[in-house]
Amino acid sequence: MDQSIQRNPPKGHARNKSGARPSRPRSSTKGPLDADEAPITSPVASQAARFSSSQQASPRTSLSLARSSPVPRSPAPFSAPVTSKDFSFLLRPEIYHQLSPLSIPAPFRNPSRQPAPETPIPDLLNHGHFRAAAIAAVQVLTSSPVSATTAAAHPPVDPTDHARVFELLYTRLACLCLIDATSLAAQESKALEDLNSGFYLDPLSGAHLVPWELRVLGVRLQAIGFGDPRRAVMSYYELAREARAQITQAGKAHDHSAAELWKHRLSELGIKVAGALIEMDDLAGAAEHLATLGDGPQPFKIDGDEQRRLTMSRALLWLHLGDVEAARRCVRGKDGKGESTSERIVDALADMADGEYESALKKWQSLKDSMEENGVHDEMVGVNLAVCLLYTGNMPEARDTLEALVDAGLTSHTLLFNLTTMYELCTDRHKSLKVKLAERVASKPPSQQGWEKTNADFKL
């Protein structure tokens, strides 16, 4: 062996001569979704100060520079205005996919029923032309109009106009999800990279430049695109931490409207975390998380219709997990009489989950009759009523129930999918019935609920 190598004998345990080191207080283990009334320092302001010197970098570059810095850096003496930030990396044509018309049934491809190329994007959205709106948004983002008329109607966007860029990007991704092209939206959302990067912060105010709706949508899409479902849970908790900080700031400023807005966002994030855990097949974790989502203390409590809607969401998640009693407890009133609409709906769904279709059929029929007396025709109630009729051996009546919903102008994916399934069960010549159904739906006037359908809606 080489004798030049020095062998140092192993040292034994020795007392530190510099004296005993003070122990660090134990860190809090509460998450941002836990109900806590203690004031929180806004993470947005601290991030703005941390990343102000890297505002011209890309999201990935700015984050890596901040993490590699061994010591905190003071903010730059001069901060460029927000409009100087260049978002041209989101305007590259290779990011976006072409949408094939072959997935659209022939009646919807009729040129006389398609919107004009120069139709403004807001009008496309208002009339349910989501596929055309997604295409128009990309034409604006990439400055690639198909004609001079289209170019005049959809002028190219300025790369420094962050509000317009993110508005178009949200329109694109949301419309892709609405036309059942979530996989394409997930791939395109990867171009945003890390939305928690300081690159997306206003260097002056510390506010996030990306709209809240796009940030929330991007969490799930990027988790799908990167193939990492745990990423969604962590990102939702980051957003929840910001929401709690904003609630505290709004309370100090006595801004009640802002406080209610952020309370609603925080409550929705709690529901989305449970949904993300279910998508990860972590049913036990989802159940534990749902059990912690109560009304919460007064600073984080919401009231009115929003509270009832979120309570209904929790009940549906409990049904998805198979705990029908927990679902009933979610919507049960203080008197326990079960007279509210949400209680009656969950009670009927719980009977269906337990296989008690006769009992559920009576409850759906009673609910349908009481709603129609008030002039309300609820599609969800009608579809569940038809399913119960099918499972109790009343197939013709179930088919007539779904046909009546279509005649009333209701055309959701759930309704059409169940009706075409009825056709398959009723006759071997179901293809012609499906084509006729597609023609009937295409002949209906456009609406905000969505006009254009796909082959999957009719099982073609």
Side-chain angles (χ1 to χ4, degrees):
M1 296 180 65
D2 191 353
Q3 300 297 326
S4 63
I5 301 177
Q6 297 181 358
R7 299 181 178 179
N8 296 324
K11 294 183 180 181
H13 296 286
R15 184 181 299 274
N16 193 340
K17 295 182 180 181
S18 61
R21 298 169 60 187
S23 60
R24 184 176 66 88
R26 181 179 181 273
S27 300
S28 173
T29 58
K30 284 190 176 183
L33 293 176
D34 295 328
D36 189 357
E37 302 183 27
I40 303 175
T41 303
S42 173
V44 178
S46 60
Q47 288 178 354
R50 181 180 179 185
F51 294 111
S52 60
S53 61
S54 58
Q55 58 183 326
Q56 295 297 334
S58 67
R60 181 180 301 169
T61 305
S62 63
L63 186 61
S64 61
L65 289 174
R67 288 178 176 173
S68 61
S69 178
V71 293
R73 296 182 179 180
S74 59
F78 172 76
S79 296
V82 173
T83 54
S84 67
K85 286 196 173 184
D86 187 4
F87 293 97
S88 58
F89 67 94
L90 296 174
L91 311 183
R92 294 180 287 117
E94 60 268 21
I95 295 176
Y96 305 100
H97 300 75
Q98 290 187 349
L99 301 181
S100 173
L102 299 179
S103 62
I104 307 300
F108 293 93
R109 296 200 300 266
N110 190 327
S112 63
R113 293 172 175 168
Q114 288 290 329
E118 64 273 11
T119 305
I121 294 178
D123 292 345
L124 294 175
L125 297 175
N126 290 332
H127 292 85
H129 295 291
F130 300 132
R131 181 173 172 274
I135 295 174
V138 166
Q139 292 175 352
V140 178
L141 286 170
T142 59
S143 302
S144 56
V146 295
S147 64
T149 305
T150 307
H154 307 298
V157 65
D158 186 351
T160 62
D161 186 358
H162 68 277
R164 181 63 174 158
V165 169
F166 293 135
E167 177 188 3
L168 292 168
L169 187 57
Y170 176 73
T171 299
R172 168 71 176 186
L173 298 179
C175 287
L176 288 179
C177 294
L178 290 173
I179 63 174
D180 199 24
T182 305
S183 58
L184 296 182
Q187 295 301 318
E188 295 179 4
S189 68
K190 294 164 63 176
L192 288 167
E193 299 184 8
D194 186 7
L195 284 171
N196 292 324
S197 166
F199 176 78
Y200 289 112
L201 297 180
D202 186 334
L204 301 179
S205 65
H208 211 290
L209 300 179
V210 183
W212 179 264
E213 293 77 10
L214 177 57
R215 296 171 65 188
V216 175
L217 178 63
V219 168
R220 182 171 183 270
L221 292 180
Q222 288 189 337
I224 297 174
F226 289 108
D228 184 8
R230 295 174 298 178
R231 178 190 183 105
V233 177
M234 294 184 291
S235 298
Y236 283 140
Y237 268 85
E238 287 294 329
L239 294 177
R241 182 177 292 108
E242 178 181 342
R244 285 168 51 85
Q246 293 290 345
I247 293 172
T248 303
Q249 291 183 0
K252 292 179 178 179
H254 303 288
D255 189 347
H256 300 293
S257 60
E260 290 299 319
L261 172 65
W262 285 102
K263 288 176 186 178
H264 168 66
R265 289 176 173 178
L266 179 62
S267 299
E268 279 200 331
L269 290 172
I271 299 296
K272 291 184 180 295
V273 168
L277 292 172
I278 292 175
E279 290 185 345
M280 292 169 54
D281 291 329
D282 186 3
L283 302 184
E288 289 289 336
H289 175 72
L290 276 177
T292 65
L293 296 181
D295 293 335
Q298 192 64 32
F300 300 100
K301 184 178 180 180
I302 58 177
D303 301 312
D305 295 337
E306 292 296 335
Q307 175 62 29
R308 286 189 288 271
R309 189 179 67 84
L310 293 173
T311 299
M312 191 67 178
S313 299
R314 292 202 300 267
L316 294 177
L317 285 173
W318 277 119
L319 286 174
H320 189 86
L321 293 173
D323 195 335
V324 294
E325 290 303 322
R328 286 189 172 104
R329 287 195 300 269
C330 265
V331 296
R332 186 173 299 158
K334 296 180 180 179
D335 52 6
K337 294 181 179 180
E339 296 180 352
S340 67
T341 302
S342 59
E343 290 181 77
R344 297 172 66 184
I345 290 174
V346 171
D347 192 31
L349 290 173
D351 285 346
M352 294 178 67
D354 290 333
E356 300 175 0
Y357 293 102
E358 291 285 354
S359 175
L361 176 59
K362 296 178 182 178
K363 294 176 180 178
W364 287 122
Q365 187 63 57
S366 174
L367 188 59
K368 178 175 180 291
D369 294 340
S370 61
M371 285 185 168
E372 289 181 349
E373 290 178 359
N374 298 323
V376 178
H377 299 275
D378 192 278
E379 179 182 355
M380 181 272 300
V381 174
V383 170
N384 281 286
L385 174 63
V387 171
C388 289
L389 288 170
L390 174 64
Y391 277 94
T392 54
N394 301 297
M395 185 182 299
E397 189 176 349
R399 173 178 168 178
D400 292 341
T401 300
L402 296 180
E403 292 274 7
L405 292 175
V406 175
D407 292 338
L410 303 174
T411 58
S412 72
H413 168 77
T414 302
L415 171 59
L416 297 177
F417 190 87
N418 280 281
L419 181 54
T420 51
T421 302
M422 294 284 185
Y423 291 158
E424 294 174 348
L425 296 174
C426 291
T427 177
D428 293 334
R429 295 176 294 180
H430 50 78
K431 185 175 181 179
S432 61
L433 293 176
K434 295 177 182 178
V435 173
K436 291 180 181 178
L437 177 62
E439 181 66 35
R440 286 169 56 192
V441 175
S443 64
K444 295 186 177 299
S447 66
Q448 290 184 346
Q449 282 70 33
W451 172 78
E452 192 174 74
K453 306 298 179 183
T454 64
N455 290 325
D457 292 321
F458 303 96
K459 302 181 72 172
L460 291 172

